[in-house]
Amino acid sequence: SNKSVSDAPIVQFTNCRILRSHQLQREDLWVRQGKILNPEKLFFDEKGSADIQLDCKDSIIAPGFIDVQINGGFGVDFSLATDDFKSGIDLVSQKILSHGVTSFCPTLVTSPPSVYHQVLPQLSIRNGGAHGAGILGAHLEGPFISKEKKGAHPEHCLRTFEAGAFQDLLATYGSLDCVRIVTLAPEMKRSSEVIQELTQRGICVSLGHSVANLAQAEEAVQHGATFITHLFNAMLPFHHRDPGIVGLLTSDKIPMISDGIHTNPAALRIAHRAHPKGMVLVTDAIAGMGLAPGRHTLGQQVVVIDGLNTYIAGTKTLSGSVATMDTCVRHFQEATGCSVETALEAASLHPAQLLGIEHKKGTLNYDSDADFLMLNDDLYVQATYIAGEEVWRQDALGM
């Protein structure tokens, strides 16, 4: 090993159960320079040992949560074009550390082109740290979605693909530089060529807000779509003769999404049992997450928070959620009766696989980023670490 690496302090986390290879294992976790270290190499190749030992008091250590669909929180709405957009995103990235989120995809709901043109250039992909969770790139949900299944998206902003198809999408968004996920309705004319073009650029295509039948959904998968946005919500209900997008549950290729509030526990159990390795938990949180009930925004719309439900003002249309990621994980485990390991991987490993970053994030494998959480047996977050540094601890708040 070169000198600069061997001089960096090595931290050994002891007395813990580490989530590794889909199992909680009673092992120590070794960290150096922001990466998970292989202790065998350290002992045998470098003859090294730990500089600092930390007793984890029998905590669970799991990879940091990755939220690939979050519209805002704590009074900040990512779909509102403001000059201080950056300070809003900084606030959210700081606040979600206490909920175990170490990286996320800020999500914009259907908006006029002017909003995308103003907001997206202010968004930059960055590593996490004491300043907040890392930003993996934007998730653009709409405006190329179905009127019939628009959900909380404003109808006057919805668009279809015209003659230019992909050029129409580029003109709407202005830039795809920091975009990681696009949600669209696959039944739209010319959507196949758009899906192919996005996929070739390394952008994940998710199917949602759609009246697609199963054949249209499968065709989208063949062209590169790999995800379903909030499964069971804003799509045709399951029908035995044409199961629609929900029918993709039985396909090996497709991961899926569930946010714990929108979906009945029985539906969560069906999804989990049909495709346990593909469940991806998201919060779909809106600006009102972390705030008192009342009126808040979601892009162009006013929403009302009533308990754990959020509706478009004056309607019973659900619009995002106010659930935090740690709440979603606990709810998922409770509703499905799945193992602790499965619940934790649905918020860490699976979203990392979806984005193709599982070699760096979403696991505690050797050489991956040391983004991890300490949790108690009831899956409440006790401390959050990014790149091996403690960025949030429960005791620090006198709790």
Side-chain angles (χ1 to χ4, degrees):
S1 69
N2 67 51
K3 192 82 180 104
S4 66
V5 168
S6 59
D7 283 350
I10 295 165
V11 183
Q12 177 188 7
F13 294 82
T14 65
N15 189 15
C16 52
R17 288 158 293 155
I18 302 174
L19 177 55
R20 188 175 277 154
S21 306
H22 318 298
Q23 292 290 321
L24 284 178
Q25 306 184 8
R26 200 159 268 295
E27 283 176 31
D28 293 352
L29 185 76
W30 298 73
V31 174
R32 174 170 65 191
Q33 283 205 321
K35 299 281 182 196
I36 309 279
L37 200 55
N38 180 345
E40 281 193 12
K41 274 190 178 167
L42 175 69
F43 303 149
F44 296 114
D45 298 358
E46 300 181 33
K47 311 282 187 277
S49 59
D51 299 292
I52 304 161
Q53 280 190 329
L54 287 174
D55 181 350
C56 301
K57 302 188 170 82
D58 205 34
S59 296
I60 292 169
I61 291 191
F65 298 149
I66 299 169
D67 193 350
V68 298
Q69 187 175 7
I70 169 170
N71 310 292
F74 315 100
V76 176
D77 184 342
F78 298 147
S79 304
L80 284 186
T82 56
D83 293 334
D84 64 345
F85 178 80
K86 197 178 165 317
S87 61
I89 210 154
D90 289 350
L91 175 76
V92 174
S93 62
Q94 175 69 54
K95 292 268 199 183
I96 55 182
L97 294 174
S98 65
H99 300 291
V101 177
T102 52
S103 40
F104 69 111
C105 293
T107 305
L108 277 73
V109 293
T110 295
S111 303
S114 59
V115 169
Y116 298 112
H117 292 201
Q118 197 178 338
V119 168
L120 290 176
Q122 296 187 69
L123 192 74
S124 51
I125 292 170
R126 67 176 188 211
N127 291 328
H131 58 276
I135 296 172
L136 300 169
H139 177 169
L140 305 181
E141 190 187 0
F144 302 99
I145 57 174
S146 152
K147 275 190 178 149
E148 291 84 359
K149 292 290 177 186
K150 64 182 187 298
H153 293 243
E155 190 168 328
H156 68 277
C157 295
L158 298 183
R159 300 172 84 88
T160 53
F161 297 119
E162 301 306 327
F166 188 71
Q167 290 310 314
D168 297 331
L169 178 136
L170 270 183
T172 301
Y173 295 148
S175 159
L176 292 172
D177 288 350
C178 61
V179 175
R180 283 307 296 266
I181 307 176
V182 171
T183 293
L184 53 76
E187 70 274 16
M188 282 194 170
K189 280 197 185 76
R190 316 204 59 174
S191 66
S192 290
E193 56 193 273
V194 172
I195 292 170
Q196 270 176 304
E197 186 71 45
L198 286 169
T199 306
Q200 277 164 7
R201 291 170 180 238
I203 294 170
C204 163
V205 175
S206 185
L207 310 180
H209 289 280
S210 160
V211 290
N213 59 33
L214 182 58
Q216 290 166 324
E218 286 180 330
E219 189 186 341
V221 170
Q222 277 153 12
H223 286 106
T226 53
F227 204 39
I228 304 173
T229 293
H230 42 56
L231 182 74
F232 298 122
N233 290 280
M235 59 190 62
L236 292 178
F238 178 84
H239 188 280
H240 59 284
R241 280 196 291 276
D242 188 344
I245 289 180
V246 175
L248 290 176
L249 273 180
T250 56
S251 142
D252 283 344
K253 287 196 182 136
I254 206 99
M256 60 196 115
I257 207 156
S258 128
D259 69 2
I261 296 294
H262 286 52
T263 311
N264 181 286
L268 269 180
R269 286 193 286 276
I270 288 170
H272 165 60
R273 284 175 194 168
H275 196 29
K277 291 190 172 69
M279 285 294 274
V280 174
L281 297 179
V282 298
T283 59
D284 199 11
I286 62 168
M289 174 177 72
L291 301 181
R295 292 170 83 82
H296 300 281
T297 64
L298 177 57
Q300 311 295 303
Q301 314 259 51
V302 176
V303 298
V304 176
I305 298 176
D306 176 11
L308 286 179
N309 293 315
T310 53
Y311 302 109
I312 293 289
T315 75
K316 284 294 173 193
T317 301
L318 283 173
S319 58
S321 85
V322 286
T324 55
M325 185 55 97
D326 53 328
T327 309
C328 288
V329 170
R330 291 190 294 270
H331 177 270
F332 175 58
Q333 199 217 350
E334 219 170 278
T336 61
C338 71
S339 67
V340 163
E341 291 94 333
T342 299
L344 292 168
E345 286 186 343
S348 54
L349 173 64
H350 299 171
Q353 288 170 330
L354 168 78
L355 297 174
I357 56 172
E358 68 273 25
H359 58 293
K360 292 189 303 192
K361 297 193 184 294
T363 75
L364 298 177
N365 295 343
Y366 302 139
D367 296 327
S368 60
D369 294 350
D371 296 358
F372 58 89
L373 313 174
M374 284 186 198
L375 306 109
N376 66 16
D377 285 356
D378 296 325
L379 302 186
Y380 283 86
V381 180
Q382 298 170 317
T384 303
Y385 285 77
I386 293 181
E389 299 288 326
E390 184 183 288
V391 293
W392 181 83
R393 174 168 287 277
Q394 194 182 33
D395 325 335
L397 302 179
M399 291 163 77

